[in-house]
Amino acid sequence: MKLTLAIRANKNIFISEINTKPNYRFMNLIKFTFRGNLLFWILNLVSLISVAKTEVINPVCEYHHNPIGIDVKVPRLSWQIQSEEKNVMQTAYEIRTALSVNDLSKMNRQLWNSGKVVSDQSVNIEYSGSAAESMQRIWWQVRIWDQDNKVSKWSEPAFWETGILNSEDWNAKWITLPDEPESKNSLPVQYYRNEFDVAKTVKSARLYITSRGLYQVYLNGDKVGDQLFTPGWTSYKNRIQYQTYDVTPLLGSKNTIAAKVGEGWYRGFIGWGGQRNYYGDKLALLAQLKIEYTDGTSETIVTDGNWKVSTGPIVKSDIYNGEDYDANLELKGWEKNGFNDAAWKKGNEMDLTTDDLVAPQGEPVRAVEELKAIEQITTPKGEMVFDMGQNMVGWARVKMQGKKGDQVQIKFAEVLDKEGNFYTENLRSARCTDTYIFAEDGTVVYEPSFTFHGFRFVQFIGLEKAPALEDVTGVVIHSDMPSTGSFSCSNELINQLQHNIRWGQKGNFLDVPTDCPQRDERLGWTGDAQAFSMTAGFNFEVAPFYTKWMKDVALDQLENGMIPNVIPDVLNGQGGATGWADVVAIIPWTVYKIYGDTRILEESYPAIQKWIGFMNERAGDDHLWTGDYHFGDWLAFATTSSDYPGATTEKDLIATAYFYYTTILAAKMAAILDRPDDQSKYEMLASQIKKAFDNEFVTPNGRLVSHTQTAYVLALSFGLMPDGLEKAAANYFADDVKKFGHLTTGFLGTPLLCHTLSAIGRDDLAYMLLNRTEYPSWLYPVTQGATTIWERWDGQKPDGTFQDVGMNSFNHYAYGAIGEWLYSHVAGIKLDENNPGYKHFFLAPNPGGELYFVDASFESMYGTIVSDWREEKGIFVYNVEVPANSTATVILPAAKLEEVEMDSALKSKAVQYNDDVKVDLGSGTYSFSYPYLHK
Ligand code: BGC
């Protein structure tokens, strides 16, 4: 049944076509109508109409909702369109901006008005008003015209606020604790404080603050903001982030601003061999508080030599090793007014620049959730251990009882050994221990400040009475990226795999993408990051996170174009590994595909060019990159089983393949960035590399000289096979998978393995690999109780023994890269590279592997995409959702056009497409069903 409503309002005619079939709201309305009175009827009708109207929602600036303290020169604005109508497209928009929310609607008070711009672009529109000044808030609103030229209401007002845009606007001085002894070991956390009065009425106050080391800041005893591990980790040699906080509500007439600064990445242990002081040996604080009064005047409080500094209860604090806290040294009330700091020293002003300070772009790290211990265990060795039920990253907040002088050690482990004892050998030299010394008898609640641990199990040493389960809280921290993806299906093991992939991401997205969160490493390994990036972009919104990190990739690049293996680089420039360094092109390309973001391409492009220059130089005239050291297909199956030589992929082949792939990406980017000369240059180079690859590594029969799954995966998915030999290579590849009956791939082959099998029409083999539960496979760790992705296929063996302790993390996300195939192939949410950012996409599910349902969704920049399929009693039912201002092409697998039930308006557009049915959709929700023969 269809109902067409024509309502005259605001001089526009709104025609809303409402499909009442799934509209329960309307059904209720009818029911109530007959029971209710006229007023009730009218109210309901009005609410129905307002739902049917097209609204602009979720206005964001640089991906953030009302960001403050940003320094992006030309901020980009995005919004979503919500409507209960179908086929909604934006045909034009108008943006208006003003310095106050009330001025938005006053033409003569507006800062900038775009006018009506004929465009269907609703994502990342560049602000083209005059450049903002430092510390300025700009309000904005947008309205759109739809396909029928109906104009929407203005969106809710939103704003962005700039931070300190010019170095001269920093009046604060860097200060530090004077006379600190030199030490090869961790030094105490530093405490800073300053009291000041506020005599007038405050209109607004902003705190701009950063540190060399990690800081936490307090105003009148309250912690300012909920951000953790500030100022974040960047290539400190080039840039340090500062944060901006709105502290208006925290100010009184008498005030104390106080901060503690720990060693963190700046000066603590980082890398190997006891390396400390990588960026410098002095911690320091820089803070500037700008107070604006209602009388129009303002005042600025800054760090300088009048601030007081001391050490306190945190006698040691280190990311790898944990925190030592001595309650006897507590400074009761240090962060509040009236504390006697006579014994504290005056801060030492340092002659350090503020030129390298930048505003953050990624989401801050926060305590995102809390877990309670699920079980207390006394191990065979008699250890007092608590199980958090989940391998997590953060720390334990514990309520514990002790006596004066008691020293309690809180230790962390990911797994128990085969006897069930607490196992920490895989943490290598990381001590991962928090120590608390009681100052008096009683109960305390303790949690550390500047360290994090990767753990599932918590051990207490030195505690007489075990805490209750609810007194051991796991504080889960990570970069607080909005969750964007969900995937669940009829196989519980695969659901647990998806859970593990998400937790692997949470645990390793801590301001930078890390390899692992527990041992003495936790570094931004570039290979791991690129391998996992597409999956990461399904689970969470990663554009801001990667935008920030890619800048450090470019900044840490060496003069000769080499990209260090870890970013931020703390390994003194070691780099240039194939498949690792290529992150410089792969992640920007990923962000472009998922968000349609071209700025990250522009910003990364010079570094990509330099990296290609480096490879070209290493390869020389023959275009084969041979002879250099690489990690290769890291941790492939063969590295754990030497009797499988057929699983080791030659590194020269991998290096030449990535040389080609990155060059192809550069050519595509050059086209997007409108650099036709570069485009032809890279296309030409790519064809030379391909020729060289084919001559060197491909036999005339299409067999690769490295006859391995990874070699075939790279050659086929990068498009390296000579024309006419793809089929032969595909057969060799499929035969190899069949011969082994399992995967043999490592970090480079695994992300593309199932994709490549699907692309050659072998979903049967891809599903066989997915469903396999014996080692090596994705589900083997699941059967062993894993709650995160393991670094190795066999981190813990079926007999409970462990892999090489030298490298055995239980929270490494790289193998979780299968997630992308689950979302895009199994569920069928597939982006269209030619219409990036899901402006157009495919809904193309691929049932198989005994699954009988899959429910998946993805929050795109345009809104929610849903792809839910189920197969029941020979009927395939497919429910989808396409957000407004985007379109999708549905491909119904193994369908006959005449048998498919769908909206009659769609049926005429649908076509038979080989064995499938294909139909183009505008926005809206749709359902399809048809008889289906189980594959
Ligand atoms: C890390 C990795 C990394 C690798 C490179 C390891 O120690 O944990 O995941 O990619 O080194 O060799």
Side-chain angles (χ1 to χ4, degrees):
M1 176 166 98
K2 289 232 165 131
L3 178 80
T4 301
L5 298 169
I7 290 110
R8 192 169 287 273
N10 296 337
K11 295 191 204 120
N12 288 313
I13 299 203
F14 290 93
I15 310 245
S16 310
E17 200 179 46
I18 301 161
N19 187 339
T20 55
K21 202 170 157 201
N23 194 336
Y24 298 109
R25 197 182 169 118
F26 181 77
M27 307 274 230
N28 287 336
L29 171 89
I30 305 271
K31 264 194 257 154
F32 281 118
T33 302
F34 294 112
R35 273 193 253 136
N37 58 31
L38 187 64
L39 179 65
F40 190 86
W41 193 91
I42 292 170
L43 285 176
N44 270 295
L45 188 62
V46 167
S47 96
L48 183 71
I49 293 158
S50 68
V51 167
K53 266 198 266 178
T54 297
E55 279 183 78
V56 183
I57 57 164
N58 294 341
V60 292
C61 173
E62 289 298 318
Y63 297 92
H64 300 294
H65 181 65
N66 293 344
I68 70 167
I70 67 167
D71 66 0
V72 174
K73 294 230 159 50
V74 181
R76 293 162 303 166
L77 308 174
S78 310
W79 55 86
Q80 292 177 347
I81 299 164
Q82 180 176 275
S83 173
E84 291 229 335
E85 292 180 44
K86 285 191 161 140
N87 303 313
V88 173
M89 287 300 277
Q90 173 187 299
T91 52
Y93 67 80
E94 181 181 357
I95 299 171
R96 62 188 186 187
T97 63
L99 288 179
S100 96
V101 67
N102 295 330
D103 287 345
L104 279 169
S105 55
K106 299 177 193 145
M107 276 301 254
N108 57 341
R109 303 280 301 160
Q110 285 168 8
L111 205 57
W112 173 67
N113 187 316
S114 67
K116 182 173 173 181
V117 180
V118 175
S119 164
D120 67 351
Q121 193 186 348
S122 55
V123 170
N124 285 330
I125 318 283
E126 293 194 344
Y127 165 68
S128 2
S130 53
E133 292 166 19
S134 265
M135 302 175 265
Q136 194 174 50
R137 176 175 292 195
I138 296 185
W139 288 89
W140 69 285
Q141 266 181 316
V142 57
R143 61 176 174 173
I144 64 117
W145 283 259
D146 70 8
Q147 66 289 344
D148 301 324
N149 209 22
K150 284 184 307 189
V151 65
S152 73
K153 281 198 313 202
W154 288 98
S155 67
E156 283 300 309
F159 63 81
W160 74 89
E161 190 180 295
T162 52
I164 298 186
L165 302 182
N166 312 306
S167 179
E168 313 85 72
D169 294 332
W170 280 101
N171 309 318
K173 299 267 182 305
W174 284 99
I175 52 170
T176 190
L177 174 73
D179 313 321
E180 202 185 26
E182 272 183 25
S183 169
K184 285 208 162 75
N185 222 318
S186 300
L187 285 164
V189 162
Q190 303 180 358
Y191 293 72
Y192 295 74
R193 70 188 308 279
N194 179 43
E195 296 197 12
F196 60 96
D197 292 341
V198 165
K200 302 187 202 171
T201 312
V202 176
K203 184 174 145 225
S204 77
R206 294 287 180 276
L207 175 63
Y208 306 92
I209 182 168
T210 186
S211 58
R212 290 167 186 252
L214 298 173
Y215 77 83
Q216 283 183 11
V217 61
Y218 304 81
L219 241 180
N220 296 325
D222 287 324
K223 180 171 179 307
V224 175
D226 53 4
Q227 312 194 2
L228 297 167
F229 288 84
T230 46
W233 192 10
T234 46
S235 164
Y236 288 146
K237 286 182 177 152
N238 294 292
R239 61 188 205 131
I240 301 180
Q241 299 182 134
Y242 67 89
Q243 280 71 32
T244 303
Y245 302 98
D246 180 354
V247 291
T248 319
L250 298 180
L251 284 177
S253 51
K254 290 222 160 298
N255 299 282
T256 297
I257 179 166
K260 53 186 184 192
V261 179
E263 304 199 318
W265 299 288
Y266 188 83
R267 172 175 101 167
F269 288 95
I270 196 79
W272 301 297
Q275 174 174 275
R276 272 174 59 73
N277 301 334
Y278 191 80
Y279 297 103
D281 59 2
K282 289 268 172 283
L283 300 181
L285 179 72
L286 180 85
Q288 184 159 318
L289 172 63
K290 179 156 190 215
I291 309 172
E292 286 186 354
Y293 298 113
T294 47
D295 66 3
T297 60
S298 67
E299 194 177 346
T300 308
I301 310 290
V302 296
T303 40
D304 60 19
N306 292 317
W307 284 47
K308 292 298 209 53
V309 197
S310 170
T311 55
I314 306 182
V315 290
K316 275 186 187 169
S317 155
D318 185 75
I319 287 177
Y320 292 162
N321 297 321
E323 172 175 300
D324 286 2
Y325 188 95
D326 184 349
N328 295 294
L329 303 177
E330 267 171 7
L331 308 160
K332 290 251 157 49
W334 71 283
E335 74 284 48
K336 294 187 184 147
N337 295 329
F339 175 80
N340 181 359
D341 60 16
W344 288 34
K345 295 179 177 159
K346 282 194 157 196
N348 232 6
E349 288 186 11
M350 298 167 89
D351 189 18
L352 291 170
T353 183
T354 52
D355 290 351
D356 55 358
L357 299 183
V358 294
Q361 283 190 280
E363 286 82 9
V365 175
R366 292 198 175 95
V368 179
E369 57 196 292
E370 296 193 346
L371 306 176
K372 290 287 176 198
I374 56 164
E375 192 187 356
Q376 190 204 327
I377 304 164
T378 304
T379 67
K381 281 191 185 161
E383 299 149 322
M384 182 195 289
V385 170
F386 285 77
D387 180 1
M388 305 310 299
Q390 171 64 49
N391 196 13
M392 55 160 280
V393 175
W395 55 79
R397 185 194 311 122
V398 291
K399 189 167 167 194
M400 52 189 183
Q401 242 181 53
K403 295 207 187 63
K404 181 176 171 49
D406 280 358
Q407 179 168 329
V408 181
Q409 282 185 20
I410 309 165
K411 291 176 134 343
F412 300 88
E414 292 185 289
V415 284
L416 302 179
D417 69 12
K418 75 176 182 50
E419 278 82 34
N421 292 313
F422 199 69
Y423 179 81
T424 56
E425 273 173 70
N426 67 324
L427 306 179
R428 303 195 306 216
S429 77
R431 196 175 58 118
C432 298
T433 306
D434 296 334
T435 306
Y436 184 89
I437 300 177
F438 277 80
E440 49 198 58
D441 298 2
T443 302
V444 295
V445 176
Y446 165 74
E447 63 188 321
S449 294
F450 297 122
T451 188
F452 63 88
H453 312 292
F455 65 100
R456 171 171 171 170
F457 298 95
V458 185
Q459 182 193 7
F460 290 89
I461 301 175
L463 205 57
E464 254 175 45
K465 187 168 175 289
L469 288 185
E470 65 270 20
D471 291 339
V472 182
T473 304
V475 180
V476 178
I477 62 162
H478 55 84
S479 286
D480 195 5
M481 307 159 288
S483 175
T484 46
S486 68
F487 176 95
S488 62
C489 66
S490 52
N491 182 334
E492 277 312 317
L493 294 177
I494 296 172
N495 291 340
Q496 181 67 38
L497 171 67
Q498 163 68 5
H499 168 100
N500 296 359
I501 295 170
R502 281 181 69 90
W503 275 87
Q505 182 163 358
K506 293 184 199 186
N508 285 296
F509 275 55
L510 205 148
D511 207 46
V512 305
T514 58
D515 58 331
C516 59
Q518 72 298 79
R519 65 181 181 222
D520 53 352
E521 200 149 355
R522 315 183 196 189
L523 304 176
W525 281 98
T526 48
D528 310 38
Q530 70 84 359
F532 187 65
S533 59
M534 276 304 293
T535 299
F538 267 112
N539 289 326
F540 292 91
E541 186 178 275
V542 291
F545 178 88
Y546 283 140
T547 299
K548 173 238 175 199
W549 187 66
M550 288 314 300
K551 291 199 170 147
D552 296 304
V553 171
L555 286 166
D556 274 343
Q557 183 172 34
L558 274 63
E559 261 311 288
N560 63 2
M562 184 198 267
I563 303 282
N565 293 331
V566 300
I567 303 289
D569 174 33
V570 288
L571 301 180
N572 302 298
Q574 284 171 37
T578 190
W580 267 245
D582 299 280
V583 76
V584 68
I586 295 173
I587 287 191
W589 188 244
T590 300
V591 172
Y592 167 74
K593 283 191 292 186
I594 302 175
Y595 305 94
D597 187 328
T598 50
R599 186 171 287 171
I600 193 167
L601 301 184
E602 239 166 74
E603 289 178 346
S604 304
Y605 191 73
I608 297 167
Q609 288 183 296
K610 274 163 74 183
W611 168 240
I612 294 177
F614 175 87
M615 291 190 284
N616 206 14
E617 172 93 28
R618 300 302 304 159
D621 292 342
D622 65 6
H623 301 296
L624 292 169
W625 186 7
T626 55
D628 279 345
Y629 176 79
H630 299 289
F631 303 118
D633 193 23
W634 188 245
L635 298 187
F637 175 67
T639 56
T640 59
S641 196
S642 51
D643 52 338
Y644 276 83
T648 304
T649 311
E650 200 186 315
K651 290 180 181 173
D652 292 345
L653 179 151
I654 299 177
T656 306
Y658 269 95
F659 178 24
Y660 172 78
Y661 180 57
T662 292
T663 307
I664 286 284
L665 291 185
K668 289 186 187 182
M669 292 180 201
I672 294 159
L673 300 175
D674 199 19
R675 295 164 179 259
D677 294 349
D678 284 4
Q679 186 188 344
S680 357
K681 180 176 90 186
Y682 289 128
E683 278 169 358
M684 164 77 86
L685 176 60
S687 75
Q688 288 166 326
I689 304 169
K690 179 169 168 167
K691 209 158 156 219
F693 182 95
D694 294 348
N695 285 338
E696 189 76 7
F697 302 115
V698 187
T699 71
N701 288 341
R703 186 182 162 103
L704 293 173
V705 295
S706 250
H707 183 63
T708 65
Q709 293 174 13
T710 291
Y712 287 106
V713 160
L714 298 183
L716 287 163
S717 66
F718 291 173
L720 272 162
M721 291 307 294
D723 285 350
L725 288 184
E726 294 96 340
K727 186 88 200 116
N731 289 339
Y732 281 124
F733 171 41
D735 286 348
D736 189 82
V737 174
K738 272 191 282 180
K739 179 184 83 186
F740 284 113
H742 60 71
L743 53 78
T744 62
T745 51
F747 276 25
L748 296 182
T750 303
L752 300 165
L753 178 60
C754 285
H755 269 303
T756 315
L757 285 169
S758 295
I760 64 166
R762 298 308 304 265
D763 265 7
D764 58 328
L765 293 175
Y767 272 114
M768 180 274 284
L769 295 180
L770 174 68
N771 280 333
R772 183 182 158 94
T773 50
E774 301 82 33
Y775 158 77
S777 68
W778 287 282
L779 294 185
Y780 166 70
V782 171
T783 64
Q784 302 301 298
T787 57
T788 38
I789 299 293
W790 294 354
E791 177 173 26
R792 293 172 176 272
W793 294 118
D794 59 346
Q796 190 161 18
K797 303 184 182 188
D799 66 2
T801 58
F802 293 112
Q803 249 288 356
D804 180 4
V805 291
M807 228 184 57
N808 198 18
S809 143
F810 291 93
N811 197 355
H812 239 71
Y813 53 51
Y815 288 147
I818 182 69
E820 185 211 355
W821 184 74
L822 297 177
Y823 278 107
S824 67
H825 193 79
V826 177
I829 302 177
K830 199 173 160 97
L831 53 74
D832 172 0
E833 199 176 290
N834 297 320
N835 289 283
Y838 292 87
K839 181 75 175 135
H840 171 264
F841 55 95
F842 298 95
L843 289 163
N846 289 281
E850 305 300 318
L851 293 177
Y852 59 87
F853 81 82
V854 169
D855 290 344
S857 69
F858 174 67
E859 293 302 322
S860 73
M861 291 299 279
Y862 296 94
T864 309
I865 295 172
V866 172
S867 176
D868 292 349
W869 61 259
R870 57 199 59 233
E871 200 196 320
E872 243 169 62
K873 299 191 184 124
I875 301 289
F876 189 79
V877 179
Y878 190 35
N879 294 322
V880 302
E881 187 173 335
V882 179
N885 205 25
S886 74
T887 56
T889 301
V890 170
I891 298 177
L892 301 168
K896 292 199 183 72
L897 183 53
E898 62 279 11
E899 292 178 349
V900 181
E901 278 192 35
M902 63 176 112
D903 193 306
S904 54
L906 285 181
K907 194 110 191 191
S908 56
K909 294 199 293 175
V911 292
Q912 189 72 42
Y913 178 66
N914 302 326
D915 291 341
D916 306 330
V917 165
K918 186 166 138 180
V919 58
D920 290 328
L921 301 181
S923 66
T925 53
Y926 304 87
S927 188
F928 305 87
S929 62
Y930 56 95
Y932 181 81
L933 284 182
H934 196 93
K935 274 196 208 167

